[in-house]
Amino acid sequence: ALVEGVYTLRISLVDTGGRKTVAIDAFVVYDGFAPKVVSYGPEMVPTVTFAGGRVLEVRSKVSAILANFPQGLSPMDVVATLAVEDVAVLQVRDLVTCSPTAMD
């Protein structure tokens, strides 16, 4: 059985013109039951900005969509950490509800 990782997938066939092979680089194999990040954004946020000659701290919001995450959680049930600092979790929503035995 394959283990999680990044592979090169090669597909070969033989026809009248001989053997033909194509490759898909960076083919990912993952555990379908493990929690994983599906998407997030924005990818970068500023720490400070200048306005009217003053330096202002920026408080940015980042959204993340996760698969195989426990359902029915409140923001108080989730801890988010940036570097070594805990950051506020403002909202948790279940986008899809499926059986615990279903693979994402």
Side-chain angles (χ1 to χ4, degrees):
L2 285 174
V3 296
E4 289 183 271
V6 180
Y7 296 88
T8 298
L9 173 62
R10 287 185 179 78
I11 302 169
S12 299
L13 64 96
V14 177
D15 67 6
T16 56
R19 181 181 203 98
K20 308 226 190 266
T21 302
V22 295
I24 301 170
D25 294 323
F27 186 80
V28 178
V29 175
Y30 65 92
D31 178 347
F33 292 107
K36 66 178 175 289
V37 176
V38 174
S39 67
Y40 68 95
E43 292 185 17
M44 295 185 282
V45 294
T47 57
V48 295
T49 190
F50 295 97
R54 297 180 5 184
V55 176
L56 302 174
E57 281 191 33
V58 177
R59 294 177 52 99
S60 300
K61 289 183 182 180
V62 176
S63 295
I65 297 177
L66 310 172
N68 297 329
F69 208 66
Q71 298 174 16
L73 299 177
S74 75
M76 294 185 329
D77 297 324
V78 180
V79 176
T81 306
L82 181 63
V84 296
E85 184 177 333
D86 287 351
V87 294
V89 175
L90 303 177
Q91 182 182 43
V92 176
R93 291 186 296 149
D94 295 328
L95 300 178
V96 176
T97 300
C98 56
S99 160
T101 59
M103 187 181 303
D104 287 343

Coordinates of all heavy atoms in Angstrom, one line a residue:
A1 N 0.8 -1.2 0.0 CA 0.0 0.0 0.0 C 0.9 1.2 0.0 O 2.0 1.3 0.6 CB -0.9 0.0 1.2
L2 N 0.4 2.3 -0.7 CA 1.1 3.5 -0.7 C 1.0 4.2 0.7 O 0.0 4.1 1.4 CB 0.5 4.5 -1.7 CG 0.8 4.2 -3.2 CD1 0.0 5.1 -4.1 CD2 2.3 4.3 -3.5
V3 N 2.1 4.9 1.0 CA 2.0 5.8 2.2 C 1.9 7.2 1.7 O 2.1 7.6 0.5 CB 3.3 5.6 3.0 CG1 3.4 4.2 3.6 CG2 4.6 6.0 2.2
E4 N 1.5 8.1 2.6 CA 1.3 9.5 2.3 C 2.6 10.1 1.7 O 3.7 9.7 2.1 CB 1.0 10.3 3.5 CG -0.4 10.1 4.0 CD -0.8 11.0 5.2 OE1 -0.5 10.6 6.3 OE2 -1.3 12.1 4.9
G5 N 2.5 10.9 0.7 CA 3.7 11.5 0.1 C 3.4 12.1 -1.3 O 2.2 12.1 -1.7
V6 N 4.4 12.5 -1.9 CA 4.3 13.1 -3.2 C 5.1 12.2 -4.2 O 6.2 11.9 -3.9 CB 4.9 14.6 -3.3 CG1 4.8 15.1 -4.7 CG2 4.2 15.4 -2.3
Y7 N 4.4 11.8 -5.3 CA 5.0 10.8 -6.2 C 5.0 11.3 -7.6 O 4.3 12.3 -7.9 CB 4.2 9.5 -6.1 CG 4.2 8.8 -4.8 CD1 3.3 9.1 -3.8 CD2 5.2 7.9 -4.5 CE1 3.3 8.5 -2.6 CE2 5.2 7.2 -3.3 CZ 4.3 7.5 -2.3 OH 4.3 6.9 -1.1
T8 N 5.7 10.7 -8.5 CA 5.6 10.8 -9.9 C 4.7 9.7 -10.4 O 5.1 8.5 -10.2 CB 6.9 10.9 -10.6 OG1 7.7 12.0 -10.2 CG2 6.7 11.0 -12.1
L9 N 3.6 9.9 -11.0 CA 2.7 8.9 -11.5 C 3.0 8.8 -13.0 O 3.0 9.7 -13.8 CB 1.3 9.3 -11.3 CG 0.2 8.4 -12.0 CD1 0.3 7.0 -11.4 CD2 -1.2 9.0 -11.8
R10 N 3.4 7.5 -13.4 CA 3.7 7.3 -14.8 C 2.7 6.3 -15.4 O 2.3 5.3 -14.8 CB 5.1 6.6 -15.0 CG 6.2 7.6 -14.7 CD 7.6 7.0 -15.0 NE 8.7 7.9 -14.8 CZ 9.1 8.3 -13.6 NH1 8.6 7.8 -12.5 NH2 10.1 9.2 -13.5
I11 N 2.2 6.7 -16.6 CA 1.2 5.9 -17.3 C 1.8 5.5 -18.6 O 2.2 6.4 -19.4 CB -0.1 6.7 -17.4 CG1 -0.6 7.1 -16.1 CG2 -1.1 5.8 -18.2 CD1 -1.8 8.1 -16.1
S12 N 1.8 4.2 -18.9 CA 2.4 3.7 -20.1 C 1.4 2.8 -20.9 O 0.5 2.2 -20.3 CB 3.6 2.8 -19.9 OG 4.6 3.6 -19.2
L13 N 1.5 2.9 -22.2 CA 0.7 2.0 -23.0 C 1.5 1.6 -24.2 O 2.4 2.3 -24.6 CB -0.6 2.7 -23.4 CG -0.5 3.9 -24.2 CD1 -0.7 3.6 -25.7 CD2 -1.6 4.9 -23.8
V14 N 1.1 0.5 -24.8 CA 1.7 0.1 -26.1 C 0.6 0.1 -27.1 O -0.5 -0.5 -27.0 CB 2.3 -1.3 -25.9 CG1 2.9 -1.8 -27.2 CG2 3.3 -1.4 -24.8
D15 N 0.9 0.7 -28.3 CA 0.0 0.7 -29.4 C 0.9 0.4 -30.7 O 2.0 0.0 -30.5 CB -0.8 2.0 -29.6 CG 0.1 3.2 -29.9 OD1 1.3 3.0 -30.2 OD2 -0.5 4.3 -30.0
T16 N 0.3 0.5 -31.8 CA 1.0 0.2 -33.0 C 2.3 1.0 -33.2 O 3.2 0.6 -33.9 CB 0.1 0.3 -34.3 OG1 -0.4 1.7 -34.3 CG2 -1.1 -0.7 -34.2
G17 N 2.3 2.2 -32.6 CA 3.5 3.0 -32.8 C 4.6 2.8 -31.7 O 5.6 3.4 -31.7
G18 N 4.3 1.8 -30.9 CA 5.3 1.5 -29.8 C 4.8 1.9 -28.5 O 3.6 2.2 -28.3
R19 N 5.7 1.9 -27.5 CA 5.4 2.2 -26.1 C 5.3 3.7 -26.0 O 6.2 4.4 -26.4 CB 6.4 1.6 -25.2 CG 6.2 1.9 -23.8 CD 7.2 1.3 -22.9 NE 6.7 1.0 -21.6 CZ 6.2 -0.1 -21.1 NH1 6.3 -1.2 -21.8 NH2 5.7 -0.2 -19.9
K20 N 4.3 4.2 -25.3 CA 4.1 5.6 -25.0 C 4.0 5.8 -23.5 O 3.3 5.0 -22.8 CB 2.9 6.2 -25.7 CG 2.9 5.9 -27.2 CD 2.5 7.1 -28.0 CE 2.3 6.7 -29.4 NZ 3.1 6.7 -30.4
T21 N 4.7 6.8 -22.9 CA 4.6 7.0 -21.5 C 4.4 8.5 -21.2 O 5.0 9.4 -21.9 CB 5.9 6.6 -20.8 OG1 6.1 5.2 -21.1 CG2 5.9 6.8 -19.3
V22 N 3.5 8.8 -20.3 CA 3.3 10.2 -19.8 C 3.6 10.1 -18.3 O 3.4 9.1 -17.6 CB 1.9 10.7 -20.1 CG1 1.8 10.9 -21.6 CG2 0.8 9.9 -19.5
A23 N 3.9 11.3 -17.7 CA 4.2 11.4 -16.3 C 3.4 12.6 -15.7 O 3.3 13.6 -16.3 CB 5.7 11.5 -16.0
I24 N 2.9 12.4 -14.5 CA 2.3 13.4 -13.7 C 3.2 13.6 -12.5 O 3.3 12.8 -11.7 CB 0.9 13.1 -13.3 CG1 0.0 12.8 -14.5 CG2 0.3 14.2 -12.4 CD1 -1.4 12.2 -14.1
D25 N 3.9 14.8 -12.5 CA 4.8 15.1 -11.4 C 3.9 15.6 -10.2 O 2.9 16.2 -10.4 CB 5.8 16.1 -11.8 CG 6.8 15.5 -12.8 OD1 7.1 14.3 -12.7 OD2 7.2 16.3 -13.7
A26 N 4.4 15.5 -9.0 CA 3.8 16.0 -7.8 C 2.4 15.5 -7.6 O 1.5 16.2 -7.2 CB 3.9 17.5 -7.8
F27 N 2.2 14.2 -7.8 CA 0.9 13.5 -7.6 C 0.9 13.2 -6.1 O 1.8 12.5 -5.5 CB 0.8 12.2 -8.4 CG -0.5 11.6 -8.3 CD1 -1.6 12.0 -9.0 CD2 -0.7 10.5 -7.4 CE1 -2.8 11.4 -8.9 CE2 -1.9 9.9 -7.3 CZ -3.0 10.3 -8.1
V28 N -0.1 13.7 -5.4 CA -0.2 13.6 -3.9 C -1.1 12.5 -3.5 O -2.2 12.3 -3.9 CB -0.7 15.0 -3.3 CG1 -0.8 14.9 -1.8 CG2 0.2 16.1 -3.7
V29 N -0.6 11.7 -2.5 CA -1.3 10.6 -1.9 C -1.4 11.0 -0.4 O -0.4 11.3 0.2 CB -0.6 9.2 -2.0 CG1 -1.3 8.2 -1.3 CG2 -0.5 8.9 -3.5
Y30 N -2.7 11.0 0.1 CA -2.9 11.5 1.4 C -3.9 10.5 2.2 O -4.6 9.8 1.6 CB -3.4 12.9 1.5 CG -4.8 13.1 0.9 CD1 -5.9 13.0 1.6 CD2 -4.9 13.3 -0.5 CE1 -7.2 13.2 1.1 CE2 -6.2 13.5 -1.1 CZ -7.3 13.4 -0.3 OH -8.5 13.6 -0.8
D31 N -3.9 10.6 3.5 CA -4.8 9.9 4.3 C -6.2 10.6 4.2 O -6.3 11.7 4.7 CB -4.3 9.9 5.8 CG -5.2 9.2 6.7 OD1 -6.4 8.9 6.4 OD2 -4.8 8.9 7.9
G32 N -7.2 9.9 3.7 CA -8.5 10.5 3.5 C -9.2 10.8 4.7 O -10.3 11.5 4.7
F33 N -8.8 10.2 5.9 CA -9.5 10.5 7.1 C -8.8 11.5 8.0 O -9.3 11.9 9.0 CB -9.6 9.1 7.9 CG -10.6 8.2 7.2 CD1 -10.1 7.1 6.6 CD2 -12.0 8.4 7.2 CE1 -11.0 6.2 6.0 CE2 -12.8 7.6 6.6 CZ -12.3 6.4 6.0
A34 N -7.6 11.9 7.6 CA -6.8 12.9 8.5 C -7.3 14.3 8.2 O -7.6 14.6 7.1 CB -5.3 12.8 8.1
P35 N -7.3 15.1 9.2 CA -7.7 16.5 9.0 C -6.7 17.2 8.0 O -5.5 16.9 8.1 CB -7.5 17.2 10.4 CG -7.6 16.0 11.3 CD -7.1 14.9 10.6
K36 N -7.2 18.0 7.1 CA -6.3 18.7 6.2 C -6.9 20.0 5.8 O -8.1 20.3 5.9 CB -6.1 17.8 5.0 CG -7.3 17.6 4.1 CD -6.9 16.7 2.9 CE -8.0 16.4 2.0 NZ -9.0 15.4 2.6
V37 N -6.0 20.9 5.4 CA -6.4 22.3 4.9 C -6.8 22.1 3.5 O -6.0 21.7 2.7 CB -5.3 23.3 5.1 CG1 -5.6 24.6 4.5 CG2 -4.9 23.4 6.6
V38 N -8.0 22.6 3.1 CA -8.5 22.5 1.7 C -8.1 23.9 1.1 O -7.6 23.9 0.0 CB -10.0 22.3 1.7 CG1 -10.5 22.4 0.3 CG2 -10.3 20.9 2.3
S39 N -8.3 25.0 1.8 CA -8.0 26.3 1.3 C -7.9 27.3 2.4 O -8.4 27.0 3.5 CB -9.0 26.8 0.2 OG -10.2 27.0 0.8
Y40 N -7.2 28.4 2.2 CA -7.1 29.5 3.1 C -6.8 30.8 2.4 O -6.3 30.7 1.3 CB -6.1 29.2 4.2 CG -4.7 29.2 3.8 CD1 -3.9 30.4 3.8 CD2 -4.1 28.1 3.2 CE1 -2.6 30.4 3.4 CE2 -2.8 28.1 2.8 CZ -2.0 29.2 2.9 OH -0.7 29.2 2.4
G41 N -7.1 31.9 3.0 CA -6.8 33.1 2.4 C -7.1 34.3 3.3 O -7.9 34.1 4.2
P42 N -6.5 35.4 3.1 CA -5.4 35.6 2.2 C -4.1 34.9 2.5 O -4.0 34.5 3.7 CB -5.2 37.1 2.2 CG -5.6 37.5 3.6 CD -6.7 36.6 4.0
E43 N -3.2 34.8 1.6 CA -2.0 34.1 1.8 C -1.0 34.9 2.6 O -0.1 34.4 3.2 CB -1.4 33.6 0.5 CG -2.2 32.5 -0.2 CD -1.5 32.0 -1.4 OE1 -0.3 32.3 -1.6 OE2 -2.2 31.4 -2.2
M44 N -1.1 36.2 2.6 CA -0.2 37.1 3.3 C -1.0 38.3 3.9 O -2.0 38.7 3.3 CB 0.8 37.7 2.4 CG 1.8 36.7 1.8 SD 3.1 37.6 0.8 CE 2.2 37.9 -0.7
V45 N -0.6 38.8 5.0 CA -1.3 39.9 5.6 C -0.2 40.9 6.2 O 0.9 40.4 6.7 CB -2.2 39.6 6.8 CG1 -3.4 38.8 6.2 CG2 -1.5 38.8 7.9
P46 N -0.4 42.2 6.1 CA 0.6 43.1 6.7 C 0.5 43.2 8.2 O -0.6 42.9 8.8 CB 0.2 44.5 6.1 CG -1.3 44.3 5.8 CD -1.5 42.9 5.5
T47 N 1.6 43.6 8.9 CA 1.5 43.7 10.3 C 1.2 45.2 10.7 O 0.5 45.4 11.6 CB 2.9 43.4 10.9 OG1 3.9 44.2 10.3 CG2 3.2 41.9 10.8
V48 N 1.7 46.1 9.9 CA 1.4 47.5 10.1 C 1.2 48.3 8.8 O 1.6 47.8 7.7 CB 2.6 48.2 10.9 CG1 2.8 47.7 12.3 CG2 3.9 48.2 10.1
T49 N 0.6 49.4 8.9 CA 0.5 50.3 7.7 C 0.6 51.7 8.2 O 0.6 52.0 9.3 CB -0.9 50.0 7.0 OG1 -0.9 50.7 5.7 CG2 -2.1 50.5 7.8
F50 N 0.8 52.6 7.2 CA 0.9 54.0 7.5 C -0.4 54.7 7.0 O -0.8 54.5 5.9 CB 2.1 54.6 6.8 CG 3.4 54.0 7.3 CD1 4.0 53.0 6.6 CD2 4.0 54.5 8.5 CE1 5.2 52.4 7.1 CE2 5.2 54.0 8.9 CZ 5.8 52.9 8.2
A51 N -0.9 55.6 7.9 CA -2.1 56.4 7.5 C -1.9 57.8 8.2 O -1.8 57.8 9.4 CB -3.4 55.7 7.9
G52 N -2.0 58.8 7.4 CA -1.9 60.2 8.0 C -0.6 60.4 8.8 O -0.6 61.1 9.8
G53 N 0.5 59.8 8.3 CA 1.7 60.0 9.0 C 1.9 59.1 10.2 O 2.9 59.3 10.9
R54 N 0.9 58.3 10.5 CA 1.0 57.5 11.7 C 1.1 56.0 11.4 O 0.6 55.5 10.3 CB -0.2 57.7 12.6 CG -0.3 59.1 13.1 CD -1.5 59.4 13.9 NE -2.4 58.2 14.3 CZ -3.5 58.3 14.9 NH1 -3.9 59.5 15.3 NH2 -4.2 57.3 15.2
V55 N 1.8 55.2 12.2 CA 1.9 53.8 12.1 C 0.7 53.1 12.7 O 0.4 53.4 13.9 CB 3.2 53.2 12.7 CG1 3.2 51.7 12.6 CG2 4.4 53.9 12.0
L56 N -0.1 52.3 12.0 CA -1.2 51.6 12.6 C -1.0 50.1 12.5 O -0.6 49.6 11.5 CB -2.5 52.0 11.8 CG -2.8 53.4 11.7 CD1 -4.0 53.6 10.7 CD2 -3.1 54.0 13.0
E57 N -1.3 49.4 13.6 CA -1.3 48.0 13.6 C -2.5 47.5 12.8 O -3.6 48.0 12.9 CB -1.4 47.4 15.0 CG -0.1 47.4 15.8 CD -0.1 46.6 17.1 OE1 -0.9 45.6 17.1 OE2 0.5 47.0 18.0
V58 N -2.3 46.4 12.0 CA -3.4 45.9 11.2 C -3.9 44.6 11.9 O -3.1 43.7 12.2 CB -2.9 45.6 9.8 CG1 -4.0 45.0 8.9 CG2 -2.4 46.9 9.1
R59 N -5.2 44.5 12.0 CA -5.8 43.3 12.5 C -6.5 42.6 11.3 O -7.6 43.0 10.9 CB -6.8 43.6 13.6 CG -6.1 44.1 14.9 CD -7.0 44.5 16.0 NE -7.9 43.4 16.3 CZ -7.8 42.6 17.3 NH1 -6.7 42.7 18.1 NH2 -8.6 41.6 17.6
S60 N -5.9 41.6 10.7 CA -6.4 41.0 9.5 C -7.2 39.7 9.9 O -6.9 39.0 10.9 CB -5.3 40.6 8.6 OG -4.6 41.7 8.2
K61 N -8.2 39.4 9.0 CA -9.0 38.2 9.1 C -8.5 37.2 8.1 O -8.2 37.6 7.0 CB -10.4 38.4 8.9 CG -11.1 39.2 10.0 CD -12.6 39.3 9.8 CE -13.3 40.1 10.9 NZ -14.7 40.2 10.6
V62 N -8.3 35.9 8.5 CA -7.9 34.9 7.6 C -9.0 33.8 7.7 O -9.4 33.4 8.8 CB -6.5 34.3 8.0 CG1 -6.1 33.1 7.1 CG2 -5.4 35.4 7.9
S63 N -9.4 33.3 6.5 CA -10.4 32.2 6.5 C -9.7 30.9 6.1 O -8.8 30.9 5.2 CB -11.5 32.5 5.4 OG -12.2 33.7 5.8
A64 N -10.1 29.8 6.7 CA -9.6 28.5 6.4 C -10.7 27.5 6.2 O -11.7 27.5 7.0 CB -8.6 28.0 7.4
I65 N -10.6 26.7 5.2 CA -11.6 25.6 5.0 C -10.8 24.3 5.3 O -9.8 24.0 4.6 CB -12.2 25.6 3.6 CG1 -13.0 26.9 3.4 CG2 -13.0 24.4 3.4 CD1 -13.6 27.0 2.0
L66 N -11.3 23.5 6.2 CA -10.6 22.3 6.6 C -11.5 21.1 6.3 O -12.7 21.2 6.5 CB -10.3 22.3 8.1 CG -9.6 23.6 8.6 CD1 -9.5 23.6 10.1 CD2 -8.2 23.7 8.0
A67 N -10.9 20.0 6.0 CA -11.7 18.7 5.8 C -11.4 17.8 6.9 O -10.3 17.9 7.6 CB -11.3 18.1 4.5
N68 N -12.3 16.9 7.2 CA -12.1 15.9 8.3 C -11.9 16.5 9.7 O -11.2 16.1 10.5 CB -11.0 14.9 8.0 CG -11.3 14.1 6.8 OD1 -12.4 13.8 6.4 ND2 -10.2 13.8 6.0
F69 N -12.6 17.6 9.9 CA -12.5 18.4 11.1 C -13.8 18.0 11.9 O -14.8 17.8 11.4 CB -12.5 19.9 10.9 CG -11.7 20.7 11.9 CD1 -10.4 20.5 12.1 CD2 -12.4 21.6 12.7 CE1 -9.7 21.2 13.0 CE2 -11.7 22.3 13.6 CZ -10.4 22.2 13.8
P70 N -13.7 17.9 13.3 CA -14.9 17.5 14.0 C -16.0 18.5 13.8 O -15.8 19.7 13.6 CB -14.4 17.6 15.5 CG -12.9 17.4 15.4 CD -12.5 18.0 14.1
Q71 N -17.2 18.0 13.8 CA -18.4 18.8 13.5 C -19.0 19.4 14.8 O -18.8 18.8 15.9 CB -19.5 18.0 12.8 CG -18.9 17.5 11.4 CD -19.9 16.6 10.7 OE1 -21.1 16.5 11.1 NE2 -19.4 15.8 9.8
G72 N -19.7 20.5 14.7 CA -20.5 21.1 15.8 C -19.6 21.8 16.8 O -20.1 22.0 17.9
L73 N -18.5 22.3 16.4 CA -17.6 23.0 17.3 C -18.0 24.5 17.4 O -18.5 25.1 16.4 CB -16.2 22.9 16.9 CG -15.6 21.5 16.9 CD1 -14.1 21.5 16.4 CD2 -15.6 20.9 18.3
S74 N -17.7 25.1 18.5 CA -17.9 26.6 18.6 C -16.5 27.2 18.5 O -15.5 26.5 18.7 CB -18.5 26.9 20.0 OG -17.6 26.8 21.0
P75 N -16.4 28.5 18.3 CA -15.1 29.1 18.3 C -14.2 28.9 19.5 O -13.0 28.8 19.5 CB -15.4 30.6 18.1 CG -16.7 30.6 17.3 CD -17.5 29.4 17.9
M76 N -14.9 28.7 20.7 CA -14.2 28.5 21.9 C -13.5 27.1 22.0 O -12.6 26.9 22.7 CB -15.1 28.7 23.1 CG -15.5 30.2 23.3 SD -16.5 30.6 24.8 CE -17.4 29.1 25.1
D77 N -14.0 26.2 21.1 CA -13.5 24.8 21.1 C -12.2 24.7 20.2 O -11.6 23.7 20.2 CB -14.5 23.9 20.5 CG -15.8 23.8 21.3 OD1 -15.7 23.8 22.6 OD2 -16.9 23.6 20.7
V78 N -11.9 25.8 19.4 CA -10.8 25.7 18.5 C -9.7 26.7 18.9 O -10.0 27.8 19.2 CB -11.3 26.1 17.0 CG1 -10.2 26.0 16.0 CG2 -12.4 25.1 16.6
V79 N -8.5 26.2 18.8 CA -7.4 27.1 19.2 C -6.6 27.3 17.9 O -6.2 26.4 17.2 CB -6.4 26.5 20.2 CG1 -5.2 27.3 20.5 CG2 -7.2 26.3 21.5
A80 N -6.3 28.6 17.5 CA -5.5 28.9 16.4 C -4.3 29.6 16.9 O -4.3 30.5 17.8 CB -6.3 29.8 15.4
T81 N -3.1 29.3 16.4 CA -1.8 29.8 16.8 C -1.1 30.3 15.6 O -0.9 29.6 14.6 CB -1.0 28.8 17.6 OG1 -1.8 28.2 18.6 CG2 0.2 29.4 18.2
L82 N -0.5 31.5 15.8 CA 0.3 32.1 14.7 C 1.7 32.3 15.4 O 1.8 33.1 16.4 CB -0.2 33.4 14.2 CG 0.6 34.1 13.1 CD1 0.7 33.3 11.9 CD2 0.0 35.5 12.8
A83 N 2.7 31.6 14.9 CA 4.0 31.6 15.5 C 3.8 31.0 16.9 O 3.5 29.8 17.0 CB 4.7 33.0 15.6
V84 N 4.0 31.8 18.0 CA 3.8 31.3 19.3 C 2.6 31.9 20.0 O 2.3 31.7 21.2 CB 5.0 31.4 20.2 CG1 6.2 30.6 19.7 CG2 5.4 32.9 20.3
E85 N 1.9 32.8 19.3 CA 0.8 33.5 19.9 C -0.6 33.0 19.5 O -0.9 32.8 18.3 CB 0.9 35.0 19.4 CG -0.1 35.9 20.0 CD 0.1 37.4 19.6 OE1 1.2 37.7 19.3 OE2 -0.9 38.1 19.6
D86 N -1.5 32.7 20.5 CA -2.8 32.4 20.1 C -3.6 33.5 19.5 O -3.4 34.7 19.9 CB -3.6 31.9 21.4 CG -3.1 30.6 21.9 OD1 -2.4 29.9 21.2 OD2 -3.6 30.2 23.0
V87 N -4.4 33.3 18.5 CA -5.1 34.3 17.8 C -6.6 33.9 17.9 O -7.0 32.8 18.1 CB -4.7 34.5 16.3 CG1 -3.3 35.0 16.2 CG2 -4.9 33.2 15.6
A88 N -7.5 35.0 17.8 CA -8.9 34.8 18.0 C -9.5 33.9 16.9 O -9.2 34.2 15.7 CB -9.6 36.1 18.1
V89 N -10.4 33.0 17.2 CA -11.2 32.3 16.3 C -12.5 32.9 16.3 O -13.2 32.9 17.4 CB -11.3 30.8 16.6 CG1 -12.2 30.1 15.7 CG2 -9.9 30.1 16.6
L90 N -12.9 33.5 15.2 CA -14.2 34.3 15.2 C -15.4 33.5 14.9 O -16.5 33.8 15.3 CB -14.0 35.5 14.2 CG -12.9 36.4 14.5 CD1 -12.8 37.5 13.4 CD2 -13.0 37.1 15.9
Q91 N -15.2 32.5 14.0 CA -16.4 31.7 13.6 C -16.0 30.3 13.2 O -14.9 30.1 12.6 CB -17.0 32.5 12.4 CG -18.3 31.8 11.8 CD -18.8 32.5 10.6 OE1 -18.1 32.9 9.8 NE2 -20.1 32.7 10.6
V92 N -16.9 29.4 13.4 CA -16.7 28.0 13.0 C -18.0 27.6 12.4 O -19.1 27.7 13.0 CB -16.3 27.0 14.1 CG1 -16.2 25.6 13.6 CG2 -15.0 27.5 14.8
R93 N -18.0 27.1 11.1 CA -19.2 26.7 10.4 C -18.9 25.3 9.8 O -17.9 25.0 9.3 CB -19.6 27.6 9.3 CG -20.1 28.9 9.8 CD -20.6 29.8 8.6 NE -19.5 30.1 7.7 CZ -19.7 30.2 6.4 NH1 -20.8 30.1 5.8 NH2 -18.6 30.5 5.6
D94 N -20.0 24.4 9.9 CA -19.9 23.1 9.2 C -20.4 23.3 7.8 O -21.6 23.6 7.6 CB -20.7 22.1 10.0 CG -20.2 21.8 11.3 OD1 -18.9 21.9 11.5 OD2 -21.0 21.5 12.2
L95 N -19.6 23.3 6.8 CA -20.0 23.5 5.4 C -20.7 22.2 4.9 O -21.6 22.3 4.0 CB -18.8 23.9 4.5 CG -18.1 25.2 4.9 CD1 -16.9 25.4 4.0 CD2 -19.1 26.3 4.9
V96 N -20.2 21.1 5.3 CA -20.7 19.8 4.8 C -20.7 18.9 6.0 O -19.8 18.8 6.8 CB -19.8 19.2 3.7 CG1 -20.3 17.8 3.3 CG2 -19.7 20.1 2.5
T97 N -21.8 18.1 6.1 CA -22.0 17.2 7.2 C -22.0 15.8 6.6 O -22.8 15.5 5.6 CB -23.3 17.4 8.0 OG1 -23.2 18.7 8.5 CG2 -23.4 16.4 9.1
C98 N -21.1 14.9 7.0 CA -21.1 13.6 6.5 C -20.8 12.6 7.6 O -20.5 12.9 8.7 CB -20.0 13.4 5.4 SG -18.4 13.9 5.9
S99 N -21.0 11.3 7.3 CA -20.8 10.3 8.3 C -19.3 10.2 8.7 O -18.4 10.5 7.9 CB -21.2 8.9 7.6 OG -20.6 7.9 8.3
P100 N -19.1 9.9 10.0 CA -17.7 9.8 10.4 C -16.9 8.8 9.6 O -15.6 8.8 9.6 CB -17.8 9.4 11.9 CG -19.1 9.8 12.3 CD -20.0 9.7 11.1
T101 N -17.5 7.8 9.0 CA -16.8 6.8 8.2 C -16.6 7.2 6.8 O -16.0 6.4 6.0 CB -17.5 5.5 8.3 OG1 -18.9 5.6 7.8 CG2 -17.6 5.0 9.8
A102 N -17.1 8.3 6.4 CA -17.0 8.8 5.0 C -15.7 9.4 4.8 O -15.2 10.2 5.6 CB -18.1 9.8 4.6
M103 N -15.0 9.2 3.6 CA -13.7 9.7 3.3 C -13.9 11.0 2.5 O -14.7 11.0 1.6 CB -12.9 8.7 2.6 CG -11.4 9.2 2.4 SD -10.5 8.0 1.4 CE -10.6 6.5 2.4
D104 N -13.1 12.1 2.9 CA -13.1 13.3 2.1 C -12.1 13.2 1.0 O -11.0 12.7 1.2 CB -12.8 14.5 3.0 CG -14.0 14.8 3.9 OD1 -15.1 14.4 3.6 OD2 -13.8 15.6 4.9

